[in-house]
Amino acid sequence: MSSFKDLKNSFIFKLLTNVFVIILIPFIIWMLFFDENSYLTHRKFNKEIKDLESTISFYKTKIEKDKETIKKLENSLELERFAREKYLMKKENEDIYIIEFDTIK
């Protein structure tokens, strides 16, 4: 019986039986895991935001490269070189030989 009295008088028991603590613990658990604005949801959204921002920066750099390419292609010689290299176009009465290198040893 004395151990129950000792337990009842201990600080931890008083803390855990406090009404505010009894209400606060389930509230914190609810807010962290089960609420629609929970910590887990916010963490998922923050990761998605990071992914989208990296995608935006990737496409911005790609747009800048494409703008430079378009500016170069305003020259007719560059346009012809581009068409020959990328799309294997040729002039009439001209033969094209494609040399592929095998990198597998």
Side-chain angles (χ1 to χ4, degrees), residues 1-10:
M1 195 68 144
S2 69
S3 69
F4 182 69
K5 276 188 175 183
D6 292 339
L7 181 64
K8 197 172 186 181
N9 290 333
S10 72

Side-chain angles (χ1 to χ4, degrees), residues 5 9 12 14 42 44 58 76-77 83 95-96 99 101:
K5 276 188 175 183
N9 290 333
I12 295 174
K14 286 182 181 180
H42 279 283
K44 182 178 80 170
F58 168 75
S76 63
L77 293 174
D95 293 330
I96 294 179
I99 300 171
F101 295 99

